[in-house]
Amino acid sequence: MSSFIFNKFTTAALAMLITVQLLLTSTVMAYSHPGGLHSQNQINGIKSNVLTSTGPWKPAYDVLIAKAKWLSNEGPSAVKTFYVPGYYSDPEGHLNASSTLQDDVKAAYVSAIAYALTGNASYGNKTVEILNDWAYTNTDLGDDDSTLVMTYAGVGLIQAAELVSSFKGWQSDDKSKFKSWVSNVFLKKAANVNKNLLNNWGAWGVYGAISGYRFLDDPIHVKEEIRLIQSKIDSQIAADGSISTETSRGAGGLRYTYFYLSPLTAAAQIAFDSEGTDLFHWISPSGRTIKSALDYLLYYIQHPSKWPYYSSPSLPTTTEAWPYNLYEAMSDIYPDPAYAAFASSRRPIMETGHNYAWSFPTLMKGDGTLVDETFNGISNGKFPANWLVTNSNNTQAAVTGLTTSTDKSLKITDNNADGASLVRKLFPAQSGIVSAQWSFMEPSFFSNFKMGLKKGSLFATEINTVGSNLMYKDNLGRYITIQSFKPNTWYTLSVLANSKTSTYNIYVNGVLKKSNAPFTNRVSSLDSIGFYSGWSQKGAIFINNVGVRK
């Protein structure tokens, strides 16, 4: 063989090897692990919060560690063929068969979280023991409710696997076997079987599928699942936020609506973590949003007598975590103080034993809340502490119980045409994306009232009430109509602002009204939210549920 031919062969072979290596690397390193529901950055932040005993994290951590120690003697109980009879035909048999998996998932997932936060190998070993048992034992699923239970409980094994993915005690052969189980049993025989169904089975299916494909570093299929989630948002959530496949479930309509939204939102979180696709703020071609469905459910959970589908819908008992765990998690996504206020009564919230979407929402909370004000804990006639209030003569900003003594608002009154009232809540300066939400109501039209995110004395996202119109002020000083509004009617305004592009989106009652509106004043960061009665006009306005998140 001539040296030319040899060199040519060698070069080609090396090129092929390099290409194969790059392909393998891109597959293996498609996503960072742990990730999906729980990223390493999130875990690091929680460790810091626990060490400093900050906020709700330390009590939730103490509950978790106590449970992890209690579960340390839990032995795995995987079965070759996992079969669960239908709940409505055999309730006792369903519960007994389900517990075989659910108890194992509880021990594995709780131990995995404990390992991630402490580094204690005993917790990692417990998780791996259970993952290996299912990987080597379980090869098939039965019919009836088997696939449903495997998706809503078995997905917790995948979340646990994410958390111990770098644990040195998980041998490479065992990890490969578990990945094979995810591919050949969990995905093939459970999640992918159910994910196209229209009810909660489909929601759990797509959550299971995107969890499995992310763990397997399969971005092609992850993106397919994102498209399926979008399809579900567009086709399954009605204009009023209801989900017809679940509201029709008689007394269980509220619970089943929760049981649909819990996996749907968890799947959306994995979509965001994996591909940066924000489905939480996505508006479908038909105008449907996740937020509208969350608001719909919360309203009727708090006003069950108004539920239009059943006279006495089932509600959570005093010991149940649903739907508090969902709203604890969603308070990390949306700047809606109503979510956190609702969830706070059950903290620390932990949901283990049945399904595994938002199992540790209090412990795994982010620290992105900048403002969270409902005004409910403030005496009438007072203004909120830590807010800056500047009043001219004959102007006032004070808390009042507008409709009830417990549901309070901030009332800004301006009886001075030559004066103004400015109410402002400061937060640490933020560059990049900041979301804000608040509700307002004018008993009668109050022109030139300004509200929005600020930097110092400058409004960046200035929204005005001008006669019967809501208008935003653009960077050229022009007032652009958003929509009309009525007096004595509450409206919820939301903005998603990006100081790096000096643009923001405007939502009214959850509906996108304007995309990429220019900042009124170009600023490099945002440091407050403000409400300003302005000069030359007299009137009153009520403000409620002010939230800001980074």
Side-chain angles (χ1 to χ4, degrees):
M1 181 184 294
S2 70
S3 61
F4 171 77
I5 295 175
F6 177 79
N7 289 336
K8 185 175 182 180
F9 171 80
T10 303
T11 302
L14 285 172
M16 182 176 293
L17 287 172
I18 291 171
T19 301
V20 171
Q21 184 176 5
L22 287 172
L23 287 172
L24 289 173
T25 301
S26 66
T27 300
V28 172
M29 301 299 292
Y31 302 116
S32 59
H33 302 278
L37 287 185
H38 314 299
S39 69
Q40 189 60 53
N41 285 338
Q42 178 193 33
I43 291 166
N44 292 341
I46 290 160
K47 287 180 181 179
S48 175
N49 290 331
V50 168
L51 286 174
T52 57
S53 298
T54 303
W57 292 278
K58 184 60 166 61
Y61 172 83
D62 291 340
V63 171
L64 174 91
I65 296 301
K67 180 166 283 193
K69 290 178 179 178
W70 179 67
L71 292 168
S72 62
N73 294 321
E74 178 78 22
S77 53
V79 293
K80 183 176 181 179
T81 300
F82 180 67
Y83 169 70
V84 179
Y87 178 78
Y88 292 102
S89 60
D90 184 3
E92 184 177 357
H94 174 98
L95 295 174
N96 289 337
S98 297
S99 66
T100 300
L101 174 62
Q102 290 167 330
D103 290 348
D104 278 10
V105 175
K106 176 166 60 177
Y109 201 177
V110 168
S111 298
I113 291 280
Y115 166 74
L117 294 177
T118 66
N120 187 326
S122 66
Y123 298 131
N125 287 328
K126 172 54 63 176
T127 301
V128 166
E129 177 189 12
I130 296 169
L131 297 181
N132 287 349
D133 192 46
W134 281 89
Y136 283 94
T137 304
N138 179 230
T139 59
D140 202 4
L141 304 178
D143 53 10
D144 294 328
D145 282 355
S146 306
T147 59
L148 174 63
V149 177
M150 177 55 73
T151 51
Y152 71 59
V155 68
L157 294 178
I158 297 174
Q159 306 308 339
E162 284 276 3
L163 290 161
V164 298
S165 57
S166 60
F167 175 49
K168 293 181 180 179
W170 198 9
Q171 302 302 315
S172 58
D173 288 349
D174 294 337
K175 189 182 296 185
S176 295
K177 186 65 175 177
F178 182 77
K179 288 183 176 181
S180 177
W181 176 83
V182 171
S183 179
N184 297 323
V185 180
F186 181 83
L187 286 170
K188 184 178 181 180
K189 298 184 178 183
N192 286 343
V193 172
N194 291 342
K195 67 184 183 183
N196 289 306
L197 298 176
L198 300 182
N199 61 357
N200 63 76
W201 288 48
W204 284 105
V206 74
Y207 167 48
I210 197 170
S211 297
Y213 287 125
R214 190 199 185 284
F215 179 71
L216 296 176
D217 289 291
D218 186 344
I220 292 176
H221 281 99
V222 165
K223 291 173 184 175
E224 287 183 3
E225 303 312 319
I226 291 173
R227 289 190 286 272
L228 180 56
I229 298 167
Q230 290 175 319
S231 174
K232 289 182 179 296
I233 294 170
D234 190 54
S235 63
Q236 298 306 115
I237 298 175
D240 64 355
S242 63
I243 300 170
S244 62
T245 56
E246 313 307 327
T247 57
S248 61
R249 300 294 295 270
L254 290 173
R255 182 188 291 268
Y256 279 109
T257 297
Y258 155 80
F259 203 55
Y260 187 104
L261 287 174
S262 186
L264 187 73
T265 51
Q269 174 58 36
I270 294 174
F272 183 75
D273 179 80
S274 303
E275 295 293 332
T277 303
D278 183 1
L279 298 177
F280 291 108
H281 297 95
W282 181 71
I283 299 175
S284 80
S286 300
R288 310 303 193 245
T289 65
I290 289 176
K291 181 69 164 59
S292 68
L294 291 167
D295 290 345
Y296 183 89
L297 174 61
L298 182 58
Y299 177 81
Y300 286 109
I301 286 287
Q302 295 178 319
H303 304 87
S305 63
K306 297 182 179 180
W307 180 243
Y309 300 97
Y310 199 83
S311 59
S312 299
S314 298
L315 296 171
T317 66
T318 56
T319 60
E320 289 181 312
W322 79 276
Y324 299 89
N325 61 328
L326 173 61
Y327 289 96
E328 181 81 300
M330 292 302 97
S331 69
D332 255 5
I333 305 296
Y334 299 103
D336 191 335
Y339 289 5
F342 173 74
S344 63
S345 65
R346 295 292 176 96
R347 288 177 183 158
I349 302 170
M350 185 178 299
E351 170 74 321
T352 58
H354 185 266
N355 60 85
Y356 292 87
W358 300 110
S359 299
F360 311 97
T362 302
L363 177 61
M364 305 307 283
K365 280 181 68 65
D367 55 1
T369 298
L370 301 171
V371 179
D372 185 13
E373 183 61 76
T374 64
F375 304 108
N376 289 339
I378 304 169
S379 300
N380 288 347
K382 304 293 184 180
F383 58 81
N386 302 319
W387 285 63
L388 301 179
V389 180
T390 304
N391 292 320
S392 301
N393 290 333
N394 294 319
T395 68
Q396 183 184 32
V399 169
T400 181
L402 179 61
T403 55
T404 68
S405 60
T406 56
D407 184 12
K408 298 185 178 182
S409 308
L410 179 68
K411 182 180 182 181
I412 300 174
T413 306
D414 187 345
N415 292 317
N416 184 351
D418 296 320
S421 179
L422 171 62
V423 179
R424 187 166 167 237
K425 175 62 175 176
L426 299 176
F427 50 80
Q430 305 292 320
S431 60
I433 296 176
V434 172
S435 59
Q437 177 178 302
W438 65 94
S439 298
F440 81 94
M441 187 272 286
E442 292 185 354
S444 58
F445 292 129
F446 182 12
S447 286
N448 297 330
F449 189 86
K450 310 176 194 301
M451 41 197 166
L453 293 168
K454 304 184 72 175
K455 169 65 174 179
S457 62
L458 298 175
F459 272 101
T461 66
E462 182 181 318
I463 297 176
N464 295 259
T465 59
V466 181
S468 61
N469 289 314
L470 273 175
M471 310 183 83
Y472 73 91
K473 187 177 180 181
D474 71 6
N475 56 327
L476 299 178
R478 299 174 299 187
Y479 290 87
I480 312 297
T481 299
I482 301 170
Q483 70 166 62
S484 62
F485 74 99
K486 297 178 181 179
N488 212 34
T489 302
W490 282 97
Y491 293 86
T492 298
L493 284 173
S494 306
V495 297
L496 190 64
N498 188 342
S499 60
K500 292 184 178 179
T501 61
S502 293
T503 59
Y504 65 111
N505 295 346
I506 304 170
Y507 304 80
V508 181
N509 295 337
V511 178
L512 179 65
K513 294 296 183 177
K514 182 65 179 179
S515 297
N516 298 315
F519 275 12
T520 308
N521 294 286
R522 191 179 186 91
V523 295
S524 60
S525 63
L526 300 165
D527 67 5
S528 62
I529 185 168
F531 304 93
Y532 181 54
S533 67
W535 294 76
S536 75
Q537 300 291 332
K538 298 180 181 181
I541 190 169
F542 293 85
I543 305 294
N544 203 359
N545 292 331
V546 182
V548 182
R549 286 196 57 80
K550 60 182 177 181

